[in-house]
Amino acid sequence: MRLITLTGLAGLAALAACSDGGPASTGRVEFAIATSAATTIPGPAFSENYTDLGGNSLDVDSVLVVVRKLKLEGGPGSACMTDDSTMMDGSLGLADSADDQGEGEHECGDLRFGPFLVDLPVGAAGADHQFTVTVDTGTYGEVMFQIHKPEGANDTTFLAQHPEYAGVSIRVVGSFNGTPFVYTIGVTDVQHVEFDPPLVVGEGGTSFTLFVDLSGWFRTGTGALVDPATAMGDGANVTLVHQNIIQSFHGFEDEDHDGHNDHEGEGSD
């Protein structure tokens, strides 16, 4: 298990479950992240290597993403409490914190953590468990999360701990054709990742994986790799890589944590 994975989630205070008709039935949901699917038990993470037909080579050693909000949507209720209790990062914020006021939506289960760092399990085979929450039982259609660019007074605590993320929401370290690079981008994007099929949470609990397909981040539509240096500042591939990143997230049920959709292939001949 990596040291910096969803840093600070373990420190969430429990929120009261919302229900107009009395206490709701609840189930445990395990959240995991994967960048590579596997049929074996996940191993230690090292790096990802990608090549193209032109002889280019891209090595990705680490990917960290700043996230501010995460929420299950489309069910009878939303995540209202966490089972973890050990604080790892003082940068945590709750749904009713001052910086969230005035944003419009404020409802039970609108979990707003952070900002916090997500350290993707680069090079690891299978899904890396992040944390477990308790939610109302039912069927959920998607998971919502916000990629966040830290800046301003609301992010003071986080930036004091992670000054290299001032104005940076995604940071990738690696090498392109043997030349080291550090790719950074400062965007704020709200992601709605649909479950296919929807995630069903019973009293016995379930697990789902957020899969991030890194292989397409620095590629053109024809599969050619692009130098990450050309995707920063005024580079020619800024928009291309940004869109590739946004389209790279997938969510699915994954009870055995192998990074594969448990329902993949169902209904096919």
Side-chain angles (χ1 to χ4, degrees), residues 103-115:
E103 292 190 356
E105 183 180 3
H106 184 85
E107 60 185 75
C108 177
D110 187 4
L111 298 181
R112 301 181 183 185
F113 325 93

Side-chain angles (χ1 to χ4, degrees), residues 176 183 218 225-241:
F176 182 75
Y183 166 84
F218 300 100
L225 290 170
V226 299
D227 186 344
T230 66
M232 295 188 291
D234 297 325
N237 292 307
V238 170
T239 300
L240 169 71
V241 172

Side-chain angles (χ1 to χ4, degrees), residues 52-116:
D52 65 14
L53 295 178
N56 295 302
S57 177
L58 174 72
D59 289 289
V60 177
D61 299 322
S62 67
V63 179
L64 286 99
V65 182
V66 182
V67 176
R68 182 166 180 261
K69 306 176 185 178
L70 188 148
K71 174 187 174 184
L72 284 177
E73 295 185 326
S78 300
C80 291
M81 55 189 127
T82 178
D83 294 325
D84 299 320
S85 59
T86 304
M87 181 165 288
M88 297 173 61
D89 190 323
S91 63
L92 196 61
L94 296 179
D96 58 355
S97 61
D99 61 296
D100 283 327
Q101 294 177 1
E103 292 190 356
E105 183 180 3
H106 184 85
E107 60 185 75
C108 177
D110 187 4
L111 298 181
R112 301 181 183 185
F113 325 93
F116 55 90

Side-chain angles (χ1 to χ4, degrees), residues 33-36 47-50 58-65 119-124 170-173 211-219 225 241 244-245 247-250:
I33 293 179
T35 59
S36 298
S47 65
E48 297 277 2
N49 174 262
Y50 308 107
L58 174 72
D59 289 289
V60 177
D61 299 322
S62 67
V63 179
L64 286 99
V65 182
D119 187 2
L120 302 188
V122 173
I170 298 175
R171 188 172 190 268
V172 183
V173 177
F211 188 90
V212 187
D213 185 4
L214 300 178
S215 66
W217 279 24
F218 300 100
R219 288 189 190 271
L225 290 170
V241 172
N244 287 345
I245 292 173
Q247 297 169 10
S248 67
F249 298 95
H250 309 278

Side-chain angles (χ1 to χ4, degrees), residues 152-208:
N154 291 336
D155 298 324
T156 299
T157 301
F158 176 84
L159 289 174
Q161 297 171 341
H162 309 287
E164 69 274 25
Y165 286 90
V168 173
S169 54
I170 298 175
R171 188 172 190 268
V172 183
V173 177
S175 61
F176 182 75
N177 290 336
T179 301
F181 72 84
V182 177
Y183 166 84
T184 59
I185 186 172
V187 297
T188 294
D189 286 298
V190 176
Q191 294 288 298
H192 293 269
V193 180
E194 294 185 358
F195 296 117
D196 184 18
L199 184 72
V200 179
V201 179
E203 293 185 5
T206 190
S207 300
F208 87 83

